[in-house]
Amino acid sequence: MIRAMRYISTRGRAPTHDFAGVLLAGLAEDGGLYVPEAWPEFSPAEWRALRGLPYPELAARVIAPFTAGAIGYDTLRRLCLDAYAGFGHPAVVPLVQLDHDLFVLELFHGPTLAFKDVAMQLLGRLFDHVLRDQDRRVTIVGATSGDTGSAAIEACRDRDRVEMVILHPHGRTSEVQRRQMTTVLSPNITNLAVEGTFDDCQDLVKGMFADAPFRDRMRLGAVNSINWARIAAQIPYYAAAALALGAPDREVAFAVPTGNFGNVLAAWGARRMGLPVARLSIGANANDILPRFLAANDMSMRPVLPTLSPSMDIQVSSNFERLLFELLGRDPDACAAIMNGFRRDGRMAVPDPSWREATTLFHGLGLDDPATETEIRRLHAKAGYLADPHTAIGIAAARSGALPGVPCVAMATAHPAKFPDAMRVATGLVPALPRHLSDLYQREERVRVVPNRLDAVQDAVRSAVLRNAA
Ligand SMILES: *Cc1c(COP(=O)(O)O)cnc(C)c1O
């Protein structure tokens, strides 16, 4: 008998929820992030028993303790089987060997060719199930600079109880990224091209949530990277890779190209659940707040620099708060004080013992664009491997954080065909889009250009919701 799982806020002043509650809530009411009240742990024998399972079966078994009490195991298993059936590789997340102790885990075989599909494809189905269970509907609004929007749209297209409105900055996403969003013609999907920047899009989404009557009438919801369900859905692939390399009877290491810290937090979670993870290497681009933190306890905000790896162009890694909470011995008041200070001063005052503890497990590497290009070229020349800029940064972090005798698995987070220009400059090659996207440039697009004004965006949301309620 598995006990029901409850979730608490990292800032200690929000109601606790079960899994369905945190799925729908996203951010906690006190501004904190939801974490499990107690982390589930598997014994070595329990881990061994999971070796060799097909990926969807493994995913259901690893996620089950997190959904306990909210979603039955048979339902969860069915949703996992369905979520991963559409992936373009029979292994779902194939493990590829590059060198004696260096591997990549390809997380980009989902519909939009980025690792976010692994979590989003399951999330869309979890939303549908929970909303039907509670006889509710939701309007998901979100802002994207590219990848997150297309993964969310692919996950929620044609779902009965989900209306989705995604804002992107007009003319500022790559053509592949835009077309992956605007060529989805499902009636429940609305793409708005905002005459402004990505930050303007984010401000408009915040503005919609801040308008309480509008938020309630439209039943607004979000699927951004702070949603706990996304973290839970990312833990199984770390387990899959570790088990394939001999865990729990052998130590492994992971390297993760990092933006919002969601993916690497899932790696930490796999370790917390009992897998022997000896090191977590974090790769960053020129936006190197995390490597600076690890090197010198300097977690200070700087302006965002645009790079070859746009999904890691961030100023603040929002999911870091979940690790901070753990490093502080799960003290919510200390966590709230530090996060408030960070917002006020632009600098996070992590206590020295917590920082020191982080440095015993985490290793950080920041790579600028020229070094990223060199790494892409080197990987192609040495291992015959085409790594997109994000993945190349992850592999470089794996090498710089290598431990003798410990195999390291770098997360391959995007398909190289998503970044044709960077690949051509570095290697002279332009990787082909996989078959299911080969006609992307010929498909019909549907998108509405809107001015950078809250009332205009709210009108568009209102008419989308009315149209589909009718
Ligand atoms: C989102 C994304 C990342 C960063 O992941 P986080 O969970 O935000 O750290 C890295 N690479 C790619 C290709 C992404 O789309």
Side-chain angles (χ1 to χ4, degrees):
M1 180 66 205
I2 305 176
R3 63 187 267 277
M5 177 64 80
R6 302 291 302 175
Y7 292 85
I8 56 174
S9 165
T10 49
R11 302 196 192 174
R13 287 166 202 273
T16 69
H17 281 301
D18 67 1
F19 183 84
V22 293
L23 176 72
L24 297 178
L27 193 70
E29 276 170 32
D30 58 2
L33 307 187
Y34 279 110
V35 290
E37 192 174 55
W39 278 91
E41 284 178 51
F42 292 173
S43 68
E46 286 170 322
W47 281 122
R48 272 180 219 116
L50 301 181
R51 279 185 187 150
L53 287 178
Y55 185 76
E57 302 276 357
L58 176 72
R61 302 274 281 273
V62 174
I63 296 168
F66 296 107
T67 55
I71 296 172
Y73 181 74
D74 291 342
T75 302
L76 176 66
R77 182 174 170 272
R78 178 172 52 77
L79 298 179
C80 287
L81 288 170
D82 194 45
Y84 300 121
F87 275 55
H89 195 290
V92 184
V93 289
L95 187 63
V96 176
Q97 185 162 16
L98 297 188
D99 202 342
H100 173 61
D101 266 343
L102 179 63
F103 298 78
V104 291
L105 189 67
E106 292 186 346
L107 304 174
F108 55 67
H109 293 282
T112 74
L113 311 182
F115 92 97
K116 292 187 176 67
D117 288 326
V118 181
M120 285 288 193
Q121 284 294 312
L122 183 59
L123 228 66
R125 287 160 176 85
L126 287 166
F127 258 104
D128 231 17
H129 169 77
V130 167
L131 292 168
R132 192 168 309 135
D133 212 39
Q134 303 185 1
D135 192 22
R136 288 168 65 175
R137 299 181 59 84
V138 68
T139 304
I140 305 269
V141 293
T144 186
S145 54
D147 275 350
T148 313
S150 55
I153 287 170
E154 276 299 331
C156 291
R157 62 189 297 173
D158 303 318
R159 307 226 162 264
D160 295 343
R161 291 174 176 271
V162 179
E163 189 66 40
M164 176 165 267
V165 181
I166 297 291
L167 283 58
H168 70 263
H170 186 40
R172 292 176 196 236
T173 58
S174 77
E175 187 172 6
V176 178
Q177 287 177 325
R178 184 192 75 237
R179 285 184 165 274
Q180 282 188 309
M181 297 191 280
T182 57
T183 58
V184 176
L185 306 180
S186 309
N188 70 325
I189 303 294
T190 303
N191 277 292
L192 299 180
V194 175
E195 291 174 321
T197 63
F198 172 57
D199 286 338
D200 294 329
C201 294
Q202 282 194 304
D203 286 343
L204 289 165
V205 169
K206 278 187 204 146
M208 286 192 271
F209 274 98
D211 179 347
F214 179 81
R215 182 186 66 208
D216 295 345
R217 218 169 327 115
M218 296 297 127
R219 303 184 192 90
L220 293 193
V223 289
N224 45 24
S225 79
I226 48 88
N227 196 305
W228 168 259
R230 281 181 61 177
I231 308 291
Q234 289 172 194
I235 295 175
Y237 52 72
Y238 289 101
L243 293 173
L245 293 175
D249 304 300
R250 182 188 184 203
E251 285 191 317
V252 296
F254 293 116
V256 190
T258 304
N260 257 322
F261 208 77
N263 203 7
V264 66
L265 189 90
W268 185 91
R271 181 173 185 270
R272 185 66 190 74
M273 291 178 75
L275 286 169
V277 178
R279 173 160 287 174
L280 293 173
S281 293
I282 293 173
N285 57 31
N287 301 288
D288 61 349
I289 186 166
L290 291 164
R292 276 188 284 123
F293 164 68
L294 290 168
N297 198 1
D298 168 20
M299 183 86 96
S300 53
M301 281 193 228
R302 293 194 185 157
V304 176
L305 303 168
T307 71
L308 291 174
S309 45
S311 297
M312 290 152 53
D313 292 348
I314 52 99
Q315 197 181 17
V316 178
S317 299
S318 34
N319 268 297
F320 182 80
E321 180 169 348
R322 288 187 162 113
L323 179 69
L324 178 67
F325 179 69
E326 304 288 349
L327 292 172
L328 294 168
R330 304 199 126 211
D331 177 343
D333 294 331
C335 189
I338 290 173
M339 292 311 297
N340 288 331
F342 187 40
R343 206 174 46 189
R344 192 182 56 233
D345 310 329
R347 191 173 183 292
M348 194 184 291
V350 179
D352 242 41
S354 300
W355 168 67
R356 249 173 244 292
E357 190 189 327
T359 61
T360 62
L361 175 65
F362 291 93
H363 163 83
L365 176 73
L367 230 55
D368 62 12
D369 280 354
T372 304
E373 266 175 21
T374 304
E375 179 67 21
I376 295 172
R377 198 173 306 121
R378 206 192 65 86
L379 284 164
H380 181 239
K382 282 248 153 75
Y385 194 73
L386 282 179
D388 96 286
H390 304 78
T391 303
I393 288 172
I395 297 171
R399 243 182 313 107
S400 91
L403 295 169
V406 179
C408 186
V409 186
M411 298 300 126
T413 53
H415 192 291
K418 281 196 99 161
F419 300 93
D421 297 339
M423 299 311 294
R424 187 169 31 73
V425 170
T427 66
L429 296 175
V430 180
L433 282 166
R435 212 172 332 135
H436 76 277
L437 285 172
S438 57
D439 65 341
L440 186 68
Y441 290 95
Q442 283 81 50
R443 289 183 199 168
E444 180 189 347
E445 291 188 81
R446 189 186 296 152
V447 58
R448 242 179 91 181
V449 179
V450 290
N452 177 16
R453 284 202 331 264
L454 185 59
D455 62 321
V457 173
Q458 286 183 316
D459 277 346
V461 172
R462 226 176 263 119
S463 63
V465 169
L466 284 177
R467 184 181 65 235
N468 288 317

